[in-house]
Each structure stands twice: as structure tokens, then as C-alpha cells.
Amino acid sequence: MTVKISLISHYLLKHQKVFDHLFFSCEAGWQKPDHAFYQHIHTVLSLVKNSILFWDDSHRNVESAREFGWNAEIYTDFNAFEVTMKKYDFN
């Protein structure tokens, strides 16, 4: 299984070569937590909704992504990120 990594933020642009896709609300015309923004990303990625893992530091955005059908987790710090990532199987 190939894991694709996409960015929905401008904060990590210095690492943009790591990502397969970059998504910006100013280009898409919608922003989080609007389901239209998630739909735009979903259409571009052309993946099954539950195969997407979304991270955000906003509970509102995480809950909205979950309502849309994505796996979604709140980002607090890297240690918690590592622990949570172990719940997901990307093989």
C-alpha cells in the first residue's frame, strides 16, 4: 500500500517537498471546518474517506472531519502524535 501525504496548512511550507499534495483554503475557496473544503480535498485525492487520516490542533476541525467520514485526530504534541499513529495500519 502506498501512503500519500498531503498538507492542509501553510505552516509547514518549508517542508513542501515531503508532501504529495498541498491544499490551501485561499485556493480552494473554502476553509476548515466547512465540509465543502474536505469534499474538495477528497475529490482531488480520490480516496475512500476512511483511508484518510486528518490531524489538526482544533477540536472543531477534527470533529468536522470525523463527521465528513475521515479518520481525524487532535494534534497536541509530537509524543502524542507518535502514540496515536500506532493505532493506524498503513501497510
Side-chain angles (χ1 to χ4, degrees):
M1 174 179 160
T2 301
V3 175
K4 293 195 176 215
I5 303 172
S6 300
L7 175 66
I8 309 173
S9 175
H10 63 281
Y11 294 110
L12 297 173
L13 277 181
K14 63 184 176 184
H15 303 292
Q16 68 187 21
K17 292 179 182 176
V18 173
F19 300 99
D20 297 302
H21 297 280
L22 302 172
F23 296 99
F24 304 101
S25 57
C26 61
E27 292 176 358
W30 304 280
Q31 61 186 11
K32 302 174 285 184
D34 190 333
H35 283 194
F37 186 58
Y38 302 128
Q39 182 60 54
H40 166 72
I41 294 165
H42 176 75
T43 300
V44 170
L45 295 178
S46 191
L47 297 170
V48 177
K49 284 185 179 180
N50 69 358
S51 70
I52 295 173
L53 174 56
F54 172 81
W55 286 88
D56 201 286
D57 60 353
S58 162
H59 288 277
R60 183 176 178 206
N61 293 342
V62 167
E63 190 56 39
S64 180
R66 286 177 180 160
E67 290 169 1
F68 185 70
W70 288 358
N71 296 297
E73 300 290 345
I74 191 76
Y75 183 86
T76 54
D77 60 61
F78 191 74
N79 289 335
F81 169 83
E82 284 186 307
V83 169
T84 302
M85 284 298 291
K86 291 178 183 173
K87 295 188 324 187
Y88 294 92
D89 178 20
F90 292 109
N91 296 321

